[in-house]
Amino acid sequence: MNSIRKGDSGAAVEDVQERLAMLGLLDESDVSGTFDDVTLVALRKFCEQAGMQASDEVDSKVWSALVDASYHMGDRTLYLRMPYLHGNDVLELQQALGALGFSSGSEDAIFGAHTENALRKFQVNLGLPSDGIAGAYTFAALRNLEHSWAGKEPLHEVRNLGFARAADVLEANALCLYGTCEFTRSVAQRMSNLAIATNPASHIVSADTLSVAPSEDMLLVEVALSAAEDTVPVVDYENEETLQRRLSGAIQAARANKPLRIKVVLPGRSWMDAGEERTAQHFAITLLDALCAVL
């Protein structure tokens, strides 16, 4: 492209000015289509903020950086390709996913393999097609969860509620826990036992203890060893540090459907080389704790 310099005028200059205004570096009233002193000052500020060498002209490098900075999440479809897509919209996506518990590694504004992997996990978590493509449905889901991620840092620590302080939560929320094999049924039963031991009036129970069918307002939580093919929100247990945040997103997504159902997929029958009984107890404690924290 031909460089745009001070004194130039026309549609290209106006485009540059509009992008600078969008970034808050130029007042809307200064978008005139003429590259003047005010535009030059704004351009220099942009270069400084972008970590680039100060420039008095818009060459191809500056233009590319300006376009990248002008994107906002939802402006275009994001997906893995070569060369990688990059820009402020990718950075906003990475920040949103990280705050929701789906880390894409470094927040570098580049849509690489780690970002695609985080996006796929988010999509599975909300019961969306896990295609790794950030399009209209994915952006709509992110907008619905904006209160959970906007302005928040990536989640790095577990905030446990503790069963003793969860007594009211256990009584106020109706959940039916169930598994489809001996091990997952054991985890569900142990969660129910822990809940009842904490509060005898607990409404968090296993399917094995129900004498009647679950009511429509009862949240069904399936404990499984495989995601398989399912259209319900799926939560991978794999990272305990972000389990609460991901459970919260899945439950919010489930509340839009009937019956209310989510699936939690365990990483296997062995935790830290422990036997099945210790592993089942560990999963039961951490899952119940995480559920109590988000209900």
Side-chain angles (χ1 to χ4, degrees), residues 56-68:
D56 291 344
E57 63 182 29
V58 180
D59 57 16
S60 58
K61 183 178 179 181
V62 174
W63 173 251
S64 179
L66 191 56
V67 170
D68 275 359

Side-chain angles (χ1 to χ4, degrees), residues 104-126:
S104 56
S106 59
E107 294 177 355
D108 55 8
I110 298 173
F111 196 107
H114 293 301
T115 301
E116 184 198 38
N117 186 47
L119 178 59
R120 286 182 182 274
K121 290 180 179 178
F122 168 76
Q123 291 170 326
V124 168
N125 189 250
L126 265 69

Side-chain angles (χ1 to χ4, degrees), residues 116 135 143 169 198 220 242 271:
E116 184 198 38
R143 282 192 292 272
V169 175
T198 302
L220 308 179
T242 62
W271 170 76

